[in-house]
mmCIF file with all atom_site columns, all heavy atoms in Angstrom:
data_model
loop_
_atom_site.group_PDB
_atom_site.id
_atom_site.type_symbol
_atom_site.label_atom_id
_atom_site.label_alt_id
_atom_site.label_comp_id
_atom_site.label_asym_id
_atom_site.label_entity_id
_atom_site.label_seq_id
_atom_site.pdbx_PDB_ins_code
_atom_site.Cartn_x
_atom_site.Cartn_y
_atom_site.Cartn_z
_atom_site.occupancy
_atom_site.B_iso_or_equiv
_atom_site.pdbx_formal_charge
_atom_site.auth_seq_id
_atom_site.auth_comp_id
_atom_site.auth_asym_id
_atom_site.auth_atom_id
_atom_site.pdbx_PDB_model_num
ATOM 1   N N   . PRO A 1 5   ? 120.380 84.189  171.676 1.00 0.00 ? 5   PRO A N   1
ATOM 2   C CA  . PRO A 1 5   ? 121.425 84.369  172.670 1.00 0.00 ? 5   PRO A CA  1
ATOM 3   C C   . PRO A 1 5   ? 121.623 85.809  173.048 1.00 0.00 ? 5   PRO A C   1
ATOM 4   O O   . PRO A 1 5   ? 121.422 86.688  172.234 1.00 0.00 ? 5   PRO A O   1
ATOM 5   C CB  . PRO A 1 5   ? 122.658 83.829  171.937 1.00 0.00 ? 5   PRO A CB  1
ATOM 6   C CG  . PRO A 1 5   ? 122.317 83.838  170.473 1.00 0.00 ? 5   PRO A CG  1
ATOM 7   C CD  . PRO A 1 5   ? 120.894 83.790  170.384 1.00 0.00 ? 5   PRO A CD  1
ATOM 8   N N   . LEU A 1 39  ? 125.071 99.063  182.471 1.00 0.00 ? 39  LEU A N   1
ATOM 9   C CA  . LEU A 1 39  ? 124.689 98.103  181.404 1.00 0.00 ? 39  LEU A CA  1
ATOM 10  C C   . LEU A 1 39  ? 123.604 97.175  181.916 1.00 0.00 ? 39  LEU A C   1
ATOM 11  O O   . LEU A 1 39  ? 123.057 96.395  181.148 1.00 0.00 ? 39  LEU A O   1
ATOM 12  C CB  . LEU A 1 39  ? 125.879 97.278  180.976 1.00 0.00 ? 39  LEU A CB  1
ATOM 13  C CG  . LEU A 1 39  ? 126.994 98.077  180.354 1.00 0.00 ? 39  LEU A CG  1
ATOM 14  C CD1 . LEU A 1 39  ? 128.078 97.134  179.811 1.00 0.00 ? 39  LEU A CD1 1
ATOM 15  C CD2 . LEU A 1 39  ? 126.542 98.941  179.197 1.00 0.00 ? 39  LEU A CD2 1
ATOM 16  N N   . ARG A 1 43  ? 114.923 97.586  180.835 1.00 0.00 ? 43  ARG A N   1
ATOM 17  C CA  . ARG A 1 43  ? 113.986 98.561  180.268 1.00 0.00 ? 43  ARG A CA  1
ATOM 18  C C   . ARG A 1 43  ? 114.588 99.093  179.001 1.00 0.00 ? 43  ARG A C   1
ATOM 19  O O   . ARG A 1 43  ? 113.918 99.409  178.034 1.00 0.00 ? 43  ARG A O   1
ATOM 20  C CB  . ARG A 1 43  ? 113.784 99.687  181.264 1.00 0.00 ? 43  ARG A CB  1
ATOM 21  C CG  . ARG A 1 43  ? 112.473 99.640  181.918 1.00 0.00 ? 43  ARG A CG  1
ATOM 22  C CD  . ARG A 1 43  ? 112.229 100.830 182.800 1.00 0.00 ? 43  ARG A CD  1
ATOM 23  N NE  . ARG A 1 43  ? 113.456 101.188 183.532 1.00 0.00 ? 43  ARG A NE  1
ATOM 24  C CZ  . ARG A 1 43  ? 113.508 102.141 184.447 1.00 0.00 ? 43  ARG A CZ  1
ATOM 25  N NH1 . ARG A 1 43  ? 112.436 102.802 184.745 1.00 0.00 ? 43  ARG A NH1 1
ATOM 26  N NH2 . ARG A 1 43  ? 114.623 102.417 185.068 1.00 0.00 ? 43  ARG A NH2 1
ATOM 27  N N   . TRP A 1 68  ? 123.421 93.529  179.324 1.00 0.00 ? 68  TRP A N   1
ATOM 28  C CA  . TRP A 1 68  ? 122.425 92.471  179.551 1.00 0.00 ? 68  TRP A CA  1
ATOM 29  C C   . TRP A 1 68  ? 121.219 92.615  178.647 1.00 0.00 ? 68  TRP A C   1
ATOM 30  O O   . TRP A 1 68  ? 120.681 93.734  178.452 1.00 0.00 ? 68  TRP A O   1
ATOM 31  C CB  . TRP A 1 68  ? 121.895 92.599  181.004 1.00 0.00 ? 68  TRP A CB  1
ATOM 32  C CG  . TRP A 1 68  ? 122.547 91.677  181.919 1.00 0.00 ? 68  TRP A CG  1
ATOM 33  C CD1 . TRP A 1 68  ? 123.357 90.591  181.622 1.00 0.00 ? 68  TRP A CD1 1
ATOM 34  C CD2 . TRP A 1 68  ? 122.526 91.719  183.375 1.00 0.00 ? 68  TRP A CD2 1
ATOM 35  N NE1 . TRP A 1 68  ? 123.781 89.952  182.719 1.00 0.00 ? 68  TRP A NE1 1
ATOM 36  C CE2 . TRP A 1 68  ? 123.302 90.643  183.816 1.00 0.00 ? 68  TRP A CE2 1
ATOM 37  C CE3 . TRP A 1 68  ? 121.915 92.557  184.242 1.00 0.00 ? 68  TRP A CE3 1
ATOM 38  C CZ2 . TRP A 1 68  ? 123.464 90.372  185.150 1.00 0.00 ? 68  TRP A CZ2 1
ATOM 39  C CZ3 . TRP A 1 68  ? 122.069 92.309  185.602 1.00 0.00 ? 68  TRP A CZ3 1
ATOM 40  C CH2 . TRP A 1 68  ? 122.801 91.241  186.043 1.00 0.00 ? 68  TRP A CH2 1
ATOM 41  N N   . GLU A 1 73  ? 123.324 88.032  168.411 1.00 0.00 ? 73  GLU A N   1
ATOM 42  C CA  . GLU A 1 73  ? 123.402 87.286  167.142 1.00 0.00 ? 73  GLU A CA  1
ATOM 43  C C   . GLU A 1 73  ? 122.948 88.245  166.016 1.00 0.00 ? 73  GLU A C   1
ATOM 44  O O   . GLU A 1 73  ? 121.973 88.933  166.153 1.00 0.00 ? 73  GLU A O   1
ATOM 45  C CB  . GLU A 1 73  ? 122.455 86.065  167.245 1.00 0.00 ? 73  GLU A CB  1
ATOM 46  C CG  . GLU A 1 73  ? 122.775 85.053  166.182 1.00 0.00 ? 73  GLU A CG  1
ATOM 47  C CD  . GLU A 1 73  ? 121.937 83.800  166.431 1.00 0.00 ? 73  GLU A CD  1
ATOM 48  O OE1 . GLU A 1 73  ? 120.721 83.902  166.285 1.00 0.00 ? 73  GLU A OE1 1
ATOM 49  O OE2 . GLU A 1 73  ? 122.504 82.778  166.830 1.00 0.00 ? 73  GLU A OE2 1
ATOM 50  N N   . MET A 1 132 ? 132.227 104.865 177.539 1.00 0.00 ? 132 MET A N   1
ATOM 51  C CA  . MET A 1 132 ? 130.998 105.612 177.383 1.00 0.00 ? 132 MET A CA  1
ATOM 52  C C   . MET A 1 132 ? 129.812 104.611 177.182 1.00 0.00 ? 132 MET A C   1
ATOM 53  O O   . MET A 1 132 ? 129.921 103.691 176.439 1.00 0.00 ? 132 MET A O   1
ATOM 54  C CB  . MET A 1 132 ? 131.113 106.499 176.173 1.00 0.00 ? 132 MET A CB  1
ATOM 55  C CG  . MET A 1 132 ? 129.998 107.379 175.832 1.00 0.00 ? 132 MET A CG  1
ATOM 56  S SD  . MET A 1 132 ? 130.553 108.465 174.423 1.00 0.00 ? 132 MET A SD  1
ATOM 57  C CE  . MET A 1 132 ? 129.005 108.991 173.856 1.00 0.00 ? 132 MET A CE  1
ATOM 58  N N   . PRO A 1 150 ? 125.213 82.586  147.137 1.00 0.00 ? 150 PRO A N   1
ATOM 59  C CA  . PRO A 1 150 ? 125.229 82.324  145.679 1.00 0.00 ? 150 PRO A CA  1
ATOM 60  C C   . PRO A 1 150 ? 126.643 82.038  145.194 1.00 0.00 ? 150 PRO A C   1
ATOM 61  O O   . PRO A 1 150 ? 127.640 82.538  145.804 1.00 0.00 ? 150 PRO A O   1
ATOM 62  C CB  . PRO A 1 150 ? 124.727 83.629  145.093 1.00 0.00 ? 150 PRO A CB  1
ATOM 63  C CG  . PRO A 1 150 ? 123.951 84.250  146.214 1.00 0.00 ? 150 PRO A CG  1
ATOM 64  C CD  . PRO A 1 150 ? 124.638 83.869  147.457 1.00 0.00 ? 150 PRO A CD  1
ATOM 65  N N   . SER A 1 186 ? 132.865 102.770 144.743 1.00 0.00 ? 186 SER A N   1
ATOM 66  C CA  . SER A 1 186 ? 133.192 104.118 144.280 1.00 0.00 ? 186 SER A CA  1
ATOM 67  C C   . SER A 1 186 ? 133.260 105.072 145.470 1.00 0.00 ? 186 SER A C   1
ATOM 68  O O   . SER A 1 186 ? 132.523 104.965 146.455 1.00 0.00 ? 186 SER A O   1
ATOM 69  C CB  . SER A 1 186 ? 132.187 104.604 143.213 1.00 0.00 ? 186 SER A CB  1
ATOM 70  O OG  . SER A 1 186 ? 130.875 104.529 143.698 1.00 0.00 ? 186 SER A OG  1
ATOM 71  N N   . SER A 1 210 ? 135.231 111.704 141.264 1.00 0.00 ? 210 SER A N   1
ATOM 72  C CA  . SER A 1 210 ? 135.608 113.074 140.867 1.00 0.00 ? 210 SER A CA  1
ATOM 73  C C   . SER A 1 210 ? 136.598 113.046 139.712 1.00 0.00 ? 210 SER A C   1
ATOM 74  O O   . SER A 1 210 ? 136.769 114.050 139.012 1.00 0.00 ? 210 SER A O   1
ATOM 75  C CB  . SER A 1 210 ? 136.224 113.809 142.066 1.00 0.00 ? 210 SER A CB  1
ATOM 76  O OG  . SER A 1 210 ? 137.361 113.100 142.536 1.00 0.00 ? 210 SER A OG  1
ATOM 77  N N   . GLU A 1 222 ? 131.226 96.753  131.533 1.00 0.00 ? 222 GLU A N   1
ATOM 78  C CA  . GLU A 1 222 ? 132.604 96.723  131.014 1.00 0.00 ? 222 GLU A CA  1
ATOM 79  C C   . GLU A 1 222 ? 133.562 96.070  132.022 1.00 0.00 ? 222 GLU A C   1
ATOM 80  O O   . GLU A 1 222 ? 134.377 95.262  131.654 1.00 0.00 ? 222 GLU A O   1
ATOM 81  C CB  . GLU A 1 222 ? 133.026 98.179  130.756 1.00 0.00 ? 222 GLU A CB  1
ATOM 82  C CG  . GLU A 1 222 ? 134.106 98.312  129.722 1.00 0.00 ? 222 GLU A CG  1
ATOM 83  C CD  . GLU A 1 222 ? 134.390 99.755  129.430 1.00 0.00 ? 222 GLU A CD  1
ATOM 84  O OE1 . GLU A 1 222 ? 133.413 100.474 129.056 1.00 0.00 ? 222 GLU A OE1 1
ATOM 85  O OE2 . GLU A 1 222 ? 135.510 100.203 129.643 1.00 0.00 ? 222 GLU A OE2 1
ATOM 86  N N   . GLY A 1 236 ? 124.341 102.219 148.471 1.00 0.00 ? 236 GLY A N   1
ATOM 87  C CA  . GLY A 1 236 ? 124.890 103.538 148.152 1.00 0.00 ? 236 GLY A CA  1
ATOM 88  C C   . GLY A 1 236 ? 123.737 104.496 147.994 1.00 0.00 ? 236 GLY A C   1
ATOM 89  O O   . GLY A 1 236 ? 122.630 104.299 148.475 1.00 0.00 ? 236 GLY A O   1
ATOM 90  N N   . LEU A 1 241 ? 121.130 103.230 143.212 1.00 0.00 ? 241 LEU A N   1
ATOM 91  C CA  . LEU A 1 241 ? 120.366 101.996 143.442 1.00 0.00 ? 241 LEU A CA  1
ATOM 92  C C   . LEU A 1 241 ? 119.161 101.905 142.504 1.00 0.00 ? 241 LEU A C   1
ATOM 93  O O   . LEU A 1 241 ? 118.855 100.831 142.023 1.00 0.00 ? 241 LEU A O   1
ATOM 94  C CB  . LEU A 1 241 ? 119.913 101.952 144.907 1.00 0.00 ? 241 LEU A CB  1
ATOM 95  C CG  . LEU A 1 241 ? 121.030 101.889 145.939 1.00 0.00 ? 241 LEU A CG  1
ATOM 96  C CD1 . LEU A 1 241 ? 120.453 101.802 147.322 1.00 0.00 ? 241 LEU A CD1 1
ATOM 97  C CD2 . LEU A 1 241 ? 121.975 100.739 145.672 1.00 0.00 ? 241 LEU A CD2 1
ATOM 98  N N   . GLY A 1 270 ? 108.035 121.887 155.649 1.00 0.00 ? 270 GLY A N   1
ATOM 99  C CA  . GLY A 1 270 ? 108.046 121.739 157.108 1.00 0.00 ? 270 GLY A CA  1
ATOM 100 C C   . GLY A 1 270 ? 106.795 122.363 157.700 1.00 0.00 ? 270 GLY A C   1
ATOM 101 O O   . GLY A 1 270 ? 105.877 122.756 156.995 1.00 0.00 ? 270 GLY A O   1
ATOM 102 N N   . PHE A 1 275 ? 102.286 116.233 168.480 1.00 0.00 ? 275 PHE A N   1
ATOM 103 C CA  . PHE A 1 275 ? 102.345 114.790 168.822 1.00 0.00 ? 275 PHE A CA  1
ATOM 104 C C   . PHE A 1 275 ? 101.284 114.511 169.841 1.00 0.00 ? 275 PHE A C   1
ATOM 105 O O   . PHE A 1 275 ? 101.546 114.461 171.067 1.00 0.00 ? 275 PHE A O   1
ATOM 106 C CB  . PHE A 1 275 ? 103.724 114.446 169.379 1.00 0.00 ? 275 PHE A CB  1
ATOM 107 C CG  . PHE A 1 275 ? 104.843 114.677 168.400 1.00 0.00 ? 275 PHE A CG  1
ATOM 108 C CD1 . PHE A 1 275 ? 105.544 115.882 168.366 1.00 0.00 ? 275 PHE A CD1 1
ATOM 109 C CD2 . PHE A 1 275 ? 105.176 113.665 167.489 1.00 0.00 ? 275 PHE A CD2 1
ATOM 110 C CE1 . PHE A 1 275 ? 106.602 116.051 167.463 1.00 0.00 ? 275 PHE A CE1 1
ATOM 111 C CE2 . PHE A 1 275 ? 106.218 113.889 166.599 1.00 0.00 ? 275 PHE A CE2 1
ATOM 112 C CZ  . PHE A 1 275 ? 106.889 115.086 166.545 1.00 0.00 ? 275 PHE A CZ  1
ATOM 113 N N   . THR A 1 281 ? 106.248 120.921 168.104 1.00 0.00 ? 281 THR A N   1
ATOM 114 C CA  . THR A 1 281 ? 107.514 121.524 167.724 1.00 0.00 ? 281 THR A CA  1
ATOM 115 C C   . THR A 1 281 ? 107.454 122.000 166.256 1.00 0.00 ? 281 THR A C   1
ATOM 116 O O   . THR A 1 281 ? 106.670 121.480 165.481 1.00 0.00 ? 281 THR A O   1
ATOM 117 C CB  . THR A 1 281 ? 108.672 120.559 167.942 1.00 0.00 ? 281 THR A CB  1
ATOM 118 O OG1 . THR A 1 281 ? 109.921 121.227 167.714 1.00 0.00 ? 281 THR A OG1 1
ATOM 119 C CG2 . THR A 1 281 ? 108.617 119.369 166.972 1.00 0.00 ? 281 THR A CG2 1
ATOM 120 N N   . ASP A 1 284 ? 111.719 121.621 159.981 1.00 0.00 ? 284 ASP A N   1
ATOM 121 C CA  . ASP A 1 284 ? 111.879 121.959 158.564 1.00 0.00 ? 284 ASP A CA  1
ATOM 122 C C   . ASP A 1 284 ? 111.545 120.752 157.693 1.00 0.00 ? 284 ASP A C   1
ATOM 123 O O   . ASP A 1 284 ? 111.236 119.685 158.191 1.00 0.00 ? 284 ASP A O   1
ATOM 124 C CB  . ASP A 1 284 ? 113.264 122.556 158.324 1.00 0.00 ? 284 ASP A CB  1
ATOM 125 C CG  . ASP A 1 284 ? 114.330 121.552 158.608 1.00 0.00 ? 284 ASP A CG  1
ATOM 126 O OD1 . ASP A 1 284 ? 114.078 120.318 158.618 1.00 0.00 ? 284 ASP A OD1 1
ATOM 127 O OD2 . ASP A 1 284 ? 115.502 121.991 158.812 1.00 0.00 ? 284 ASP A OD2 1
ATOM 128 N N   . GLU A 1 294 ? 111.893 113.262 168.806 1.00 0.00 ? 294 GLU A N   1
ATOM 129 C CA  . GLU A 1 294 ? 113.022 112.998 169.703 1.00 0.00 ? 294 GLU A CA  1
ATOM 130 C C   . GLU A 1 294 ? 113.694 114.314 170.185 1.00 0.00 ? 294 GLU A C   1
ATOM 131 O O   . GLU A 1 294 ? 114.164 114.401 171.312 1.00 0.00 ? 294 GLU A O   1
ATOM 132 C CB  . GLU A 1 294 ? 114.085 112.141 168.975 1.00 0.00 ? 294 GLU A CB  1
ATOM 133 C CG  . GLU A 1 294 ? 113.601 110.698 168.858 1.00 0.00 ? 294 GLU A CG  1
ATOM 134 C CD  . GLU A 1 294 ? 114.449 109.842 167.908 1.00 0.00 ? 294 GLU A CD  1
ATOM 135 O OE1 . GLU A 1 294 ? 115.332 110.407 167.192 1.00 0.00 ? 294 GLU A OE1 1
ATOM 136 O OE2 . GLU A 1 294 ? 114.277 108.640 167.913 1.00 0.00 ? 294 GLU A OE2 1
ATOM 137 N N   . ASP A 1 318 ? 96.097  114.864 161.063 1.00 0.00 ? 318 ASP A N   1
ATOM 138 C CA  . ASP A 1 318 ? 95.813  116.136 160.435 1.00 0.00 ? 318 ASP A CA  1
ATOM 139 C C   . ASP A 1 318 ? 96.991  116.619 159.583 1.00 0.00 ? 318 ASP A C   1
ATOM 140 O O   . ASP A 1 318 ? 98.119  116.385 159.971 1.00 0.00 ? 318 ASP A O   1
ATOM 141 C CB  . ASP A 1 318 ? 95.467  117.200 161.497 1.00 0.00 ? 318 ASP A CB  1
ATOM 142 C CG  . ASP A 1 318 ? 94.711  118.364 160.976 1.00 0.00 ? 318 ASP A CG  1
ATOM 143 O OD1 . ASP A 1 318 ? 94.116  118.216 159.844 1.00 0.00 ? 318 ASP A OD1 1
ATOM 144 O OD2 . ASP A 1 318 ? 94.664  119.373 161.646 1.00 0.00 ? 318 ASP A OD2 1
ATOM 145 N N   . HIS A 1 320 ? 99.351  117.169 155.915 1.00 0.00 ? 320 HIS A N   1
ATOM 146 C CA  . HIS A 1 320 ? 99.945  116.316 154.908 1.00 0.00 ? 320 HIS A CA  1
ATOM 147 C C   . HIS A 1 320 ? 101.454 116.144 155.186 1.00 0.00 ? 320 HIS A C   1
ATOM 148 O O   . HIS A 1 320 ? 102.090 117.052 155.676 1.00 0.00 ? 320 HIS A O   1
ATOM 149 C CB  . HIS A 1 320 ? 99.763  116.934 153.496 1.00 0.00 ? 320 HIS A CB  1
ATOM 150 C CG  . HIS A 1 320 ? 98.362  116.956 153.006 1.00 0.00 ? 320 HIS A CG  1
ATOM 151 N ND1 . HIS A 1 320 ? 97.469  117.913 153.447 1.00 0.00 ? 320 HIS A ND1 1
ATOM 152 C CD2 . HIS A 1 320 ? 97.691  116.140 152.202 1.00 0.00 ? 320 HIS A CD2 1
ATOM 153 C CE1 . HIS A 1 320 ? 96.305  117.659 152.924 1.00 0.00 ? 320 HIS A CE1 1
ATOM 154 N NE2 . HIS A 1 320 ? 96.399  116.589 152.125 1.00 0.00 ? 320 HIS A NE2 1
ATOM 155 N N   . HIS A 1 322 ? 105.267 114.462 153.521 1.00 0.00 ? 322 HIS A N   1
ATOM 156 C CA  . HIS A 1 322 ? 105.979 114.026 152.317 1.00 0.00 ? 322 HIS A CA  1
ATOM 157 C C   . HIS A 1 322 ? 106.916 112.876 152.714 1.00 0.00 ? 322 HIS A C   1
ATOM 158 O O   . HIS A 1 322 ? 107.685 112.930 153.731 1.00 0.00 ? 322 HIS A O   1
ATOM 159 C CB  . HIS A 1 322 ? 106.807 115.201 151.804 1.00 0.00 ? 322 HIS A CB  1
ATOM 160 C CG  . HIS A 1 322 ? 107.666 114.847 150.616 1.00 0.00 ? 322 HIS A CG  1
ATOM 161 N ND1 . HIS A 1 322 ? 107.149 114.766 149.334 1.00 0.00 ? 322 HIS A ND1 1
ATOM 162 C CD2 . HIS A 1 322 ? 108.972 114.567 150.533 1.00 0.00 ? 322 HIS A CD2 1
ATOM 163 C CE1 . HIS A 1 322 ? 108.156 114.425 148.534 1.00 0.00 ? 322 HIS A CE1 1
ATOM 164 N NE2 . HIS A 1 322 ? 109.247 114.308 149.226 1.00 0.00 ? 322 HIS A NE2 1
ATOM 165 N N   . VAL A 1 340 ? 110.770 108.371 157.857 1.00 0.00 ? 340 VAL A N   1
ATOM 166 C CA  . VAL A 1 340 ? 111.146 108.844 156.545 1.00 0.00 ? 340 VAL A CA  1
ATOM 167 C C   . VAL A 1 340 ? 110.195 109.965 156.040 1.00 0.00 ? 340 VAL A C   1
ATOM 168 O O   . VAL A 1 340 ? 110.301 110.423 154.930 1.00 0.00 ? 340 VAL A O   1
ATOM 169 C CB  . VAL A 1 340 ? 111.164 107.706 155.519 1.00 0.00 ? 340 VAL A CB  1
ATOM 170 C CG1 . VAL A 1 340 ? 112.355 106.811 155.740 1.00 0.00 ? 340 VAL A CG1 1
ATOM 171 C CG2 . VAL A 1 340 ? 109.889 106.898 155.473 1.00 0.00 ? 340 VAL A CG2 1
ATOM 172 N N   . SER A 1 348 ? 99.373  116.825 162.578 1.00 0.00 ? 348 SER A N   1
ATOM 173 C CA  . SER A 1 348 ? 99.218  116.207 163.879 1.00 0.00 ? 348 SER A CA  1
ATOM 174 C C   . SER A 1 348 ? 99.383  114.684 163.759 1.00 0.00 ? 348 SER A C   1
ATOM 175 O O   . SER A 1 348 ? 98.943  114.091 162.742 1.00 0.00 ? 348 SER A O   1
ATOM 176 C CB  . SER A 1 348 ? 97.830  116.446 164.445 1.00 0.00 ? 348 SER A CB  1
ATOM 177 O OG  . SER A 1 348 ? 97.597  117.814 164.653 1.00 0.00 ? 348 SER A OG  1
#
Side-chain angles (χ1 to χ4, degrees):
L39 298 185
R43 254 184 320 185
W68 261 346
E73 198 171 68
M132 181 175 162
S186 56
S210 58
E222 204 173 306
L241 298 182
F275 298 93
T281 187
D284 61 22
E294 288 170 348
D318 199 17
H320 292 79
H322 176 80
V340 290
S348 297

